Amino acid sequence: MSSTPLRHTALDALHRSLGATMTDFAGWDMPLRYGSERDEHNAVRTKAGLFDLSHMGEITVAGPQAAALLDYALVGNIGGVKPGRARYTMICRADGGILDDLIVYRLGETEYMVVANASNAQVVLDALTERAAGFDAEVRDDRDAYALIAVQGPESPGILKSLTDADLDGLKYYAGLPGTVAGVPALIARTGYTGEDGFELFVKPEHAVELWQALTKAGEGVGLVPCGLSCRDTLRLEAGMPLYGHELSTSLTPFDAGLGRVVKFEKEGDFVGREALREAAARAEQNPPRVLVGLVAEGRRVPRAGYAVVAGGEVIGEVTSGAPSPTLGKPIAMAYVDPAHAAPGTTGVGVDIRGSHEPYEVVALPFYKRQK
């Protein structure tokens, strides 16, 4: 057991006043659910949900060579991101193993914000600091400088529009713009991890409660509810989005994870892991690695991470994430399986749940795609 006290977000007292069930998540005391996680999940799919994501790790990279540093430190082409836009990318080890998946926002000509997963924020900060040697750029730990509130779901644009005069219609997916929401200065980003349209609002911690309350009031008439990390997990699972520590890890390269597209070999200059990743790409072409697929249960038993995927009595893969799907009404899972069993519709595939081989249908990811 770690003796380090849990970190609290600026919204901690508010979560408790709402009766949240709290849980330790990556060293933070976070709301798991407020009531029924199924109701919270369905609210995001049909109306709107409000999330506290202040545990995410914000790292500012600024200076004349900020772009060059990020192009060297990360696998993506960050110098090619226009101001006001964002990019999904990864930071890898020299051997190609994934240290974390990230969103990088270009805030200005020479300023970027790297958003890391809570569990990896320190690892990413340390790696960027180490890789910054020799670059005219500063790496700054800004985890305490921001609270992060997300409003997600089909009603979220309307809710936010009632509180800001920022041009939300002009704000594309994976873009961010500075604005004022309910009188609070914010970076308004159109990103998310739920499969729905939505926004993430980066604000100073001292403004978090005021903003949360304004959003709650603005969403009263359209079914907005506070949402915890539990439904965030089922939402991202239905949307086929990877979670670090489950679908991504240091033992996998982006090519093993089926995300080779994030590696930009064509960018200028060297980057950490380039050689190893080139070999991984060639290896994946010659001898395809296991493929990340969706599995839908025929029965009611829920698969969990680490359970074996079987076919014909042989182990052909492993479940990485599993849960009941409120949208499909059945248990679902993501799993890495041998290519021979990866095609959607492949029959005879099961999951070993405590010694019993439960039948599952192989489907293409994502399980759920919103109607545009």
Side-chain angles (χ1 to χ4, degrees):
M1 286 291 287
S2 163
S3 58
T4 315
L6 289 179
R7 299 179 72 167
H8 297 274
T9 78
L11 294 162
D12 185 71
L14 194 145
H15 297 316
R16 291 170 198 279
S17 75
L18 292 171
T21 300
M22 306 297 284
T23 187
D24 173 358
F25 186 82
W28 290 82
D29 207 6
M30 296 298 293
L32 188 63
R33 70 181 77 81
Y34 298 85
S36 149
E37 53 206 51
R38 176 181 292 271
D39 290 350
E40 291 172 24
H41 178 109
N42 290 334
V44 176
R45 285 275 177 262
T46 59
K47 296 173 183 131
L50 193 57
F51 295 84
D52 178 8
L53 304 180
S54 303
H55 60 310
M56 299 294 280
E58 296 89 2
I59 301 160
T60 301
V61 179
Q65 290 188 302
L69 161 57
L70 289 169
D71 276 339
Y72 169 70
L74 312 179
V75 300
N77 179 5
I78 308 305
V81 178
K82 292 182 168 63
R85 297 306 305 260
R87 185 151 298 167
Y88 175 77
T89 187
M90 294 184 183
I91 182 166
C92 289
R93 302 194 304 196
D95 67 1
I98 303 166
L99 282 173
D100 201 13
D101 61 336
L102 312 163
I103 295 179
V104 179
Y105 296 90
R106 186 167 191 172
L107 304 181
E109 275 306 315
T110 59
E111 188 179 1
Y112 296 80
M113 180 166 66
V114 176
V115 181
N117 285 298
S119 53
N120 296 327
Q122 192 61 48
V123 169
V124 174
L125 178 68
D126 292 345
L128 286 174
T129 304
E130 187 184 312
R131 294 172 190 188
F135 287 94
D136 186 4
E138 175 204 7
V139 175
R140 192 170 70 233
D141 180 0
D142 270 345
R143 281 176 286 181
D144 293 335
Y146 292 103
L148 178 56
I149 295 173
V151 54
Q152 296 276 309
E155 297 287 353
S156 57
I159 292 167
L160 204 55
K161 270 181 193 169
S162 71
L163 297 173
T164 182
D165 55 8
D167 177 18
L168 297 187
D169 292 332
L171 186 65
K172 297 184 173 75
Y173 187 53
Y174 265 73
L177 85 166
T180 303
V181 182
V184 168
L187 172 69
I188 305 167
R190 198 167 207 156
T191 44
Y193 194 53
T194 61
E196 298 300 334
D197 191 10
F199 302 88
E200 297 189 331
L201 307 169
F202 295 86
V203 298
K204 287 183 173 171
E206 58 265 33
H207 293 147
V209 170
E210 181 189 341
L211 180 58
W212 180 282
Q213 288 172 337
L215 287 161
T216 300
K217 196 164 172 14
E220 265 170 8
V222 291
L224 174 82
V225 301
C227 293
L229 292 179
S230 187
C231 83
R232 183 170 153 88
D233 193 47
T234 51
L235 288 160
R236 71 93 198 166
L237 176 55
E238 286 183 352
M241 294 176 167
L243 175 63
Y244 196 89
H246 289 256
E247 288 72 41
L248 308 173
S249 70
T250 49
S251 63
L252 297 172
T253 72
F255 294 95
D256 298 322
L259 290 164
R261 64 178 184 277
V262 305
V263 181
K264 304 299 182 190
F265 291 118
E266 68 277 13
K267 65 178 174 176
E268 280 178 32
D270 194 18
F271 63 90
V272 177
R274 183 192 272 273
E275 234 10 83
L277 288 168
R278 209 178 264 299
E279 285 167 23
R283 212 166 41 242
E285 233 165 74
Q286 294 296 310
N287 182 17
R290 282 181 166 175
V291 180
L292 188 64
V293 300
L295 298 174
V296 178
E298 290 177 23
R300 308 302 309 163
R301 298 185 73 185
V302 179
R304 297 294 181 196
Y307 285 11
V309 181
V310 292
E314 300 287 311
V315 173
I316 58 145
E318 187 177 303
V319 171
T320 53
S321 296
S325 163
T327 305
L328 276 64
K330 297 174 178 179
I332 59 171
M334 287 201 276
Y336 282 112
V337 302
D338 293 343
H341 297 86
T346 301
T347 54
V349 171
V351 175
D352 186 338
I353 301 181
R354 297 190 189 88
S356 161
H357 290 186
E358 300 288 327
Y360 273 75
E361 182 193 351
V362 178
V363 300
L365 290 170
F367 300 96
Y368 166 85
K369 216 175 185 136
R370 72 182 168 102
Q371 303 302 308
K372 294 281 191 240

